[in-house]
Every structure is written in structure tokens, then in C-alpha cells.
Amino acid sequence: MTTALSRSRRARGLGSIQTKLLLMLLLASIVSTAVVGFFGYRSGTDALEDATYARLQEVGNDRRNEVQDFIDREKSAVLLDSRGAAVQASKAFNAAFEDLGTSRTTARQRGALETFYTDTFVPELERTRGQEYEAAAFVPSTAARTYLQANYTRFSGDADTSVRRDDAGDGSAWTEANRTYNPYFRSVVTELGLDDVVMLDNDGNVVYTTRKRADLGSNVARDEYRGGGLQQVYDAAIESNSSGFVSVGDFEHYLPAYGAPTMFIASPIGTADDLTGVLVYELSVEKLNTVLTGNKTPGVYEGLGRSGEAYLVGEDGTLRTDSRELFENPEGFASKAVATGTRPDVAERIVETRQTMLALKDKSAPAREASLGRSGTMRAPDYLGHDVLASYQPAKIEGLDWTLVTKISAREALGPVSDFARNLLFATAAVILLICAASVLMARVFTVPLNRLLEGVRAVAGGRLGAQVDAGRRHDEFGDLGVAFNDMSSSLRTKQELIEAQRAENDRILSGLMPPPVVQRYRGGETDISAEHDDVSVVYAEVEGFDQFTGRHSASESLTLLNALSRGFDDAARAAGIEKVRSVGTGYVASSGLVVQRVDHARRVVDFALGVADMVQRFNSQHGSRLVVRAGINSGAVRSGLVGRSDVVYNLWGDAVDLAYRVRTVAGQPGIYVTDEVKQRLTGGYEFTRTGTLTESDSAVPVWRLRGGGDP
């Protein structure tokens, strides 16, 4: 017998409840966990991408605004100085420079100047530009330029010395002017973070610079630096012939600044009647880099994590700022730049000079889209081939065709999703082990009928009223319990359907009495509902002549006609996009801007009144009646709320409402009448006729009649 029982148990094998339940739960757990994990991973990735894009757009907008503000501040400053401190300085330097036209320099001074260009200027220029230059091409030939550079420029190899050199001790008028005005412009350079301040006379001569570099005394139209950004902003300023004009030039490799990227902002000096030259601010990339990091500590990019950055791209496709990775990983920068299309010599010079401005081209998709004037977000490789999430947009700076790209590495942005996937694997393994143990216990306690009942109960609890379970053909307690459950579920479904039908009817009735937001609050239990609205347009519209017209009709026919008018009012309100407040007989009160704030609420209400007039005319044509419309419209502050306890009515009140009601009666004849407030809010396309005046709070309110409201 024991042997037979053992064989019976072995025969059951996989058919036992415990085994089936175990396999079922394992399969369900694995599949459900995999499905949930997959969709969780996808939704998490999408959510993180959306959040990152939103953050990038926010940071990008902030940086764009900060760059715009920075350029605007520099423009305002140069404009202010060109009308202020630079006026007398320009006259003094112009006169002094002209006097130097016959000046002489010693052979020793000329030799020292040539040594400066040979030993200091050209080597540094070749280092930064990666090209060869002849020193003789830069040595000045004119008397004034030679004199100034011999006394000042040859000391400019030390930036601190050159900018602080107020007096060369030569006793010239130029030195006297420099001693007077150089301290002020030196402070301007320091306070505004400029690279230099330059003044030119009306002939294009550089008569003054704060740093006394190689462009001092040169002529932007004739000498070796002609054709560059300095000449462009100078020519624009001179041609404007206006003291309030400011011209802006893009960054370029400016040779007198040892080839450093330099941007020029210029404004004519003096007044409209007496322009003496042009004042130029030279901006360097360092200040712009600081702005794009969020004006924080250099190298710290606010709001962009460990890998993000915001950078500018010029019209030529090269960066207008310096790359974050160049400073954080210079060793790997060159190889990545070469891999994305940069020439090896250019990449090496970028690393050597620690500057990507005007050197590194951005061929990425975000930069390309932004250059076409588009704004948006995308996931794409950046200028070094990194997988990034990026937002892009035009920089919108007058005179500069720049675009702004804000990016962060996809690995950093989506890091939490990877952590989630790893944790999900561990959780899945733990869940499977728990289910194995739980299934053994559950199989010993519950039976199949009870599980069916449990499933039915859960279905009802989850909202599936009317759910049925298979009671089977059992005649025991489980069978009776199944039948009783099915009866209960059917009864619940029937009651729920009745409740939902009654609720739908109540909602329909309430929606006809008050706006949807008020309905929601009223259904939530609120009874004292009121609100104040600062800017709303209200219309009182009434159809006159209906009683006389329906006097020969039966009550049923009159009701049918009245319903037709009421539907016409509602159709006109929906077409104009305004909210119905209430209707009484042939009268209708509606508003715009009450529930949904709108800037064109006056226009919408006027369009509604015109729609009602058209509807009445069609009604007259169909039924042979002579109904007319009298409507009053006003805009202003109103109050709204529920009035009454047992019979609740939604109503509007206030001076604006009262005035809308009164303007209907000014002319004593049908039509659409508006207050002056409404008329002023409307643009073209409407014609009005002055019909009278109302007195409101001791002031006269003009009343206008709108043409088209049923006029012949």
C-alpha cells in the first residue's frame, strides 16, 4: 500500500497543485517583472531625457540672456563713454597725434623698436597662430606711429607695464594727454573686463590705445591691419554719422593682440554736430567664457553637472568660446578633435594655446540645426564625438550671427536609469526566490474554488462590478458561495449603473447652470463659491418681439421656437469661445475671460453678439418673424459666485456688469452697444457709431453702436 501511494504521488508529479502554482507564479513573476522592468526602463529613460532637455533649455535660455545682457552692457558702456569722457580725450589725442607728424626718433629708439618686433612680438605671434611672419612687415614707417611705438609699444611685451605706462618722459603733447586720460580708460578696462580701449580719429588713425600695442598709430584703412574687424566697426560707426550708433564685430584673430581672438564694439565720439572720431572696446574670450559658465568660478559650469557646457558657435562654424574638455582633459582632447575632422596641426595648436575660439569647428547636428535658425533638442554626437543630450537655438544678438548649444553627456544624464536596471535585476532574483517559498505554503492552504472567488473579489474591488466567477457544479459550501458572489456582483453593477446615470444627469443640469470649474467645486462640497475677476468682458443679449410673434402659436410650438433660439445662443457662444453665465427666456448673459483668461476677450464677446444677430436674422427668414437683438457689452472687473441655498444660481455682479446692462438702453432701439472701454480694446475690422453717453461714478461713459448687428 505504501508503494502504491508513492507511485501515485510520483504519477501526480507536475500535475500537483503545488507544482502548478509554483510554475505559474514563477512564470508570471518573471514575465511581469521583465515587462514592468522594460517599460520602467523606457519610461525612466524618456522621463530623464525630457527632464534633461527641459533643464538644458532652461540653462540655455539663461546663458543666452546673460550673453545678450553682457553684449548690451558693453554697448551701453561704449556709447556712454563716447558721449562723455572720450569727447575731450579724443580732441586731445587727435591734436597730439597730428603734432607728431613731424616728430623724430633716434637711431637707438628705432633699433629698440625693431628688436621688440624681432624678439618679442613676432615669436609670440608665431606661437599663437602657428604661422611664420616677417618682423619687417610690422615695423612702422610713419613718423607719428614710429614715435609712439618707440616710446610706448616696445614696452607692451609686459601687459601690466604697458597699460600702466602713463608718461614716457618725452614731454610731448600726446604724453600729456595720455597722463591725463589713460588712468580713466585703464579703470574702464579693469571694471568691464575688456582687452583694450582704442580711439581713432576721423581719418582712421589709431590715436590712442590703453595697452599701447602694435596697432598704436596705425591706420585701419591703409596699413597692415586693414580689412579686419576693427576697420569694419570703424567704417560702420563713421558712416552712421550718429552719436547714438553702436557697431559690433565678430571675434577674429587680431594680430596686434598677438593673434588672440578679439571682438570689437565701436561708437562715434562726440555729438551729432561734432564727431571727432570713434571709440572702440576690445572684448576678449575670457570674459565671454565666464558669462557662459554662469558667472561662477572659472571651470565651474552652473547647472550642467560634471560634463555639460554651454558654448557659442559663429557663422563660420567655429566655436566662439573655449571647450570645457580642453581644460579638464587636455591630454585626450587632441586625439578626439582629430577623430572628428580637425587637422592634427590645428588640434595641437589648440592644446598648446588652451583655446578653441576660432579654431575648433563644430560639425555636430545641434550646431547645424541652430545655424539654420531653428531651436530644439536632440540626442547626437557633439563636436568631439561624445554621445550627448543637447538643446540648440540662435543667440539672437544684433549684428552677430551666433548660435548657442547647451549639452551634457548622455551617460551622466541617464546614469540613474542604468542604476535602476541593475537594481531591477537584483530585485527580480529576490522576487523569484520569495515566490518559490510562498507558492509552497499557498498551495497547502487554498483551493481552486477559493482562488476563483478571490479573483472575483479582487476584480470587483478593482472596479469591475458585475464580474462573475465559475461556480461549477459543486453542491457544497464553495458552490453556494460562488452563486451568492455572482448575485452580489450583478446587483452591485446594476446599482452602480443607476448611480452613474443619475450623476451624469446631475452633471448635465449643473453644467447648464454654472461654468465647469464651479461645477467641480460645487460637487466637491463647496457652497460659498465666489471670485473676483479683474479683466472680463460681459454681454447682455436679448431677443425682442418673441412674445408678440408667438402669441398666435400654441404653448408647445412656442417652446419649440424658444428652444431653437436658446440653441442658437449656445452655438454662437461656442463659436466665439466664450462662457455662458445664464439664460432667462429670450435673454442671455455670457462672458469671456471669466473661466479662461484671454487677452482677446472683448473681441470674442463682440463676435458672439454679431453671431447672435446673424442667428436671429436666419430665424426671421425661416419663420417669417420680426425679432430683433438688443445687446450691451462692457469690459472691466466683475465678481461671480453662487447665489441662494436651496435654489442655487450662478451670477455675475459689479459695476462692469451693471454698465453692460445699461448700455443697451441708451439709444432706445435694437442693436449691439459697447462702452468706450470695449471699443478701445478692438483692433481693425469693426465699425462703430457714437450713440450716446452714460454717467458712471461722476464720469461720462461714451456708448457706441456696432455696425453689423442686424443693421439694415
Side-chain angles (χ1 to χ4, degrees), residues 167-181:
D167 191 345
D170 60 331
S172 66
W174 197 95
T175 293
E176 178 63 25
N178 187 62
R179 185 170 57 248
T180 302
Y181 298 106

Side-chain angles (χ1 to χ4, degrees), residues 297-320:
T297 305
V300 178
Y301 289 73
E302 182 185 23
L304 293 173
R306 301 184 306 276
S307 62
E309 66 173 332
Y311 62 92
L312 294 166
V313 183
E315 185 178 8
D316 59 357
T318 61
L319 269 62
R320 289 298 183 268

Side-chain angles (χ1 to χ4, degrees), residues 527-534 536 538 540 581-582 589 591 594 634 636-644 649-661:
T527 55
D528 296 326
I529 300 176
S530 62
E532 295 186 2
H533 313 274
D534 295 330
V536 174
V538 181
Y540 271 87
V581 176
R582 69 174 184 274
V589 182
S591 68
L594 186 70
N634 186 31
V638 303
R639 298 177 178 179
S640 66
L642 297 183
V643 180
V649 177
Y650 182 77
N651 204 355
L652 299 180
W653 65 89
D655 294 338
V657 179
D658 179 66
L659 194 57
Y661 182 82

Side-chain angles (χ1 to χ4, degrees), residues 23 152 170 224 395 419 502 517 529 603 712:
L23 292 176
Y152 289 93
D170 60 331
E224 63 271 21
D419 295 338
Q502 184 61 45
I529 300 176
R603 178 189 63 77

